[in-house]
Amino acid sequence: EPKDITLEGRFKYNADTRKKLLAVILPGVSATLRYINTRAGVDVYWRVEPKTTPTITLNETWQKFQIVLRAPFPYARRAKETKVAFQRLRSLFKFPRSFSNTEPWKISEKLTAPLVTVDYNGSINTGFLLTMKAKAKVKNPKILNVFTQEHISFGQVEMNLGDILEISTFANEQYCHLIRNGEVENIFWMTDYDSEFFQIQPGENVLKYTAEENPGSLDALLRFEEVL
């Protein structure tokens, strides 16, 4: 559940520093709180919103401040994003070899693997952002957790060449967007009634994507971050 994070500190009085602190940290304006410890190899962040303007004392030398932040998802996330592609390139180039001037040849070819295993080392479940791009007409795409049988599917979505479908299952950030010719359409309401915005669980996760028509014409990419 959401929690408050309180930051306290002090700075040597400077009128510009005080003004900047009050101007940048504004109630209700989303921000990122980041903690970096290079010695310990820690780089994590939280998405937060200030609850009030900073409280600052009026001492002439050192001024103390207090900032109260609201974290809708209070668990730290690693700043490094993990990407899992459902497609990969296989090299076809060999050396030495001869090249034909009359017959076509390839350096590599793209292989599609609609079933992927995602190893997640976080301590609690994490959401993900799934991006599907259509290389041709595709009807009713679907993403499935093979172990739990949870899925996110659509009953009346048709994607054209170049369309992009974005599905987010992050806590407090769940959405389904269809991007067509640069225009973003909210298609959350088009999800099937039994769809569940499942998350990646600690350990091994097997995910599969498909579609009612032409699933091989989808390029899919999964993104997520470790939650500590």
Side-chain angles (χ1 to χ4, degrees), residues 192-216:
D192 289 334
Y193 74 94
D194 57 348
S195 290
E196 299 181 66
F197 279 71
F198 65 89
Q199 298 190 327
I200 296 172
Q201 302 175 4
E204 185 178 274
N205 300 259
V206 179
L207 305 182
K208 178 182 180 181
Y209 83 85
T210 184
E212 187 177 315
E213 292 182 9
N214 209 10

Side-chain angles (χ1 to χ4, degrees), residues 45-188:
Y45 76 95
W46 297 259
R47 291 195 177 99
V48 297
E49 287 186 3
K51 295 187 69 175
T52 61
T53 54
T55 301
I56 306 175
T57 62
L58 297 175
N59 188 286
E60 294 182 358
T61 307
W62 289 94
Q63 296 195 344
K64 296 181 180 180
F65 65 85
Q66 183 184 79
I67 304 170
V68 181
L69 307 170
R70 188 66 166 173
F73 186 74
Y75 302 97
R77 296 171 174 171
R78 290 197 187 277
K80 185 178 179 180
E81 182 181 62
T82 299
K83 297 181 181 180
V84 179
F86 288 80
Q87 289 77 28
R88 64 183 179 85
L89 291 177
R90 182 175 69 177
S91 175
L92 299 177
F93 182 82
K94 296 181 180 180
F95 187 83
R97 67 165 296 170
S98 60
F99 298 95
S100 172
N101 291 326
T102 58
E103 297 181 8
W105 51 274
K106 296 180 180 179
I107 295 178
S108 63
E109 66 178 352
K110 181 177 286 188
L111 301 178
T112 298
L115 193 74
V116 298
T117 298
V118 178
D119 293 314
Y120 172 54
N121 298 319
S123 57
I124 63 173
N125 292 0
T126 184
F128 59 81
L129 175 64
L130 175 67
T131 303
M132 293 180 171
K133 185 173 182 179
K135 300 183 293 182
K137 194 163 187 175
V138 177
K139 185 177 180 181
N140 296 334
K142 175 180 179 179
I143 181 71
L144 168 73
N145 185 320
V146 175
F147 287 164
T148 66
Q149 290 299 296
E150 296 169 303
H151 65 89
I152 303 170
S153 57
F154 301 86
Q156 49 182 317
V157 171
E158 291 190 1
M159 300 177 66
N160 299 323
L161 173 64
D163 285 356
I164 298 173
L165 175 64
E166 288 186 341
I167 301 173
S168 172
T169 70
F170 289 106
N172 301 311
E173 301 171 32
Q174 295 178 350
Y175 62 80
C176 295
H177 289 162
L178 180 64
I179 305 172
R180 176 174 292 165
N181 299 324
E183 297 292 327
V184 180
E185 179 184 359
N186 178 8
I187 61 168
F188 193 96

Side-chain angles (χ1 to χ4, degrees), residues 3-21:
K3 291 185 179 180
D4 291 344
I5 300 174
T6 301
L7 305 178
E8 296 181 337
R10 67 173 187 165
F11 61 92
K12 193 170 184 179
Y13 174 69
N14 178 288
D16 289 339
T17 301
R18 184 184 178 95
K19 288 179 181 178
K20 186 177 293 185
L21 195 61

